[in-house]
Every structure is written in C-alpha cells, then in structure tokens.
Amino acid sequence: MFEQIVFLVFAVFALVAAIKVVTTPRISHAVLWLMSCFFGVAVLYLLLDSPFMAGIQLLIYTGGVAVLIGVASVVLRGAAREAQRRVTHSWPASIVALSLFLLMAWMTLELPLPEAPQAANPEGSLALLGAALVDPAGYLLPFELIGVLLLVLLVGALYLGKER
C-alpha cells in the first residue's frame, strides 16, 4: 500500500512537472522543471524494481541532457527571446496536444496490457545489456551515433551563440 501511494505521488509530481515545462514562459524555469520531471521518472523506475534504468535516468537525462539544455539556453539567450516573441500558434498546438493525450488515454484504457515476460536470469541481465552495448553486432553503432549527435548539437549551439 505504501509503495502505491509513493508511486502515485511521484507520478503526479512528474506529470505536473512535465506540464510546467511546456507552460512556463522562462527557459531557465522550464529547465528546472524538466530536471524535476526526470527525477520523478527516476523514482518511478526505482519503485518498479529497475535500478539500472533509474541510474541511467539520473545520470544521462537529469545530469546530462538537462544541463546541456541549460547551457544552450544561456548561450542562446538572445535567440530564445526572439523565438519567444514569435510564438503565435499556441491554440492549434494545444488542440493537437490535447487530441494526442485523449488518444493515448483511450488506448491505455481500452487495449489489453501485455504480460510481462519473466527473465530467466535477472542477475545476469545487466551483464547482457552491457555486452550488447559494446558488441559491434549489437548496439555499438547507435550508442556511438548518439554521442556524436550530442557533440554536434553542443558545437552548433556554441556556434549559434557566439557574438558576431
């Protein structure tokens, strides 16, 4: 019962933080709300007995991506103000977002949930994941491409933010 209450509290916390990310007019506040949302999701992973995913959520998303967005928002402060002035299509975007939310809610309530497969060796699953990430026939290429993509994004943000 206690775990269910904690789960509901952090699920609502993550949902409210996600809503605040898209409704907060200041970018710095939106980044803080994004980090809060990522933290709430990490706690949900812990409650679902997935400590590896919780650690990845904290290290990669909360620690890496949100900080990268924060640095980019500081570097691109002038461009962000200009883009904020040009936002005029909030009602159509809200209608599309609400429609997608209602569609996902309907699918969640109407479609049957699949049965979770039982792992044959749960203790060795982390070792299997690590081997798959560094195996050239596994996920090595997508893993490296994501690193290169993040590097290109950072260099692009610094190039756009430099004073001319």
Side-chain angles (χ1 to χ4, degrees):
M1 180 68 175
F2 175 73
E3 285 184 5
Q4 292 173 343
I5 292 172
V6 172
F7 183 86
L8 287 175
V9 166
F10 277 97
V12 169
F13 173 74
L15 183 64
V16 168
I19 290 170
K20 292 294 282 183
V21 167
V22 296
T23 59
T24 301
R26 296 188 58 144
I27 292 176
S28 57
H29 293 173
V31 170
L32 292 174
W33 281 112
L34 182 68
M35 292 175 76
S36 300
C37 180
F38 286 158
F39 176 76
V41 172
V43 172
L44 294 178
Y45 280 137
L46 279 177
L47 290 173
L48 293 173
D49 291 330
S50 183
F52 178 73
M53 289 302 294
I56 292 295
Q57 182 75 22
L58 283 175
L59 291 175
I60 302 298
Y61 289 107
T62 306
V65 173
V67 170
L68 182 66
I69 291 171
V71 168
S73 68
V74 168
V75 170
L76 298 173
R77 184 176 300 151
R81 279 193 216 121
E82 184 63 32
Q84 193 175 24
R85 286 188 206 120
R86 288 185 275 158
V87 174
T88 58
H89 305 294
S90 61
W91 282 106
S94 299
I95 291 171
V96 169
L98 181 64
S99 301
L100 288 174
F101 173 76
L102 291 174
L103 176 68
M104 288 189 288
W106 174 79
M107 289 175 64
T108 301
L109 295 174
E110 293 297 320
L111 298 177
L113 295 174
E115 291 293 323
Q118 297 298 324
N121 186 8
E123 289 82 22
S125 61
L126 185 59
L128 292 173
L129 177 64
L133 281 177
V134 296
D135 183 20
Y139 296 105
L140 181 65
L141 182 63
F143 188 71
E144 291 297 325
L145 285 176
I146 288 172
V148 170
L149 177 66
L150 287 173
L151 177 65
V152 168
L153 288 172
L154 181 61
V155 170
L158 290 174
Y159 175 75
L160 289 174
K162 76 176 186 175
E163 303 263 348
R164 293 190 178 176

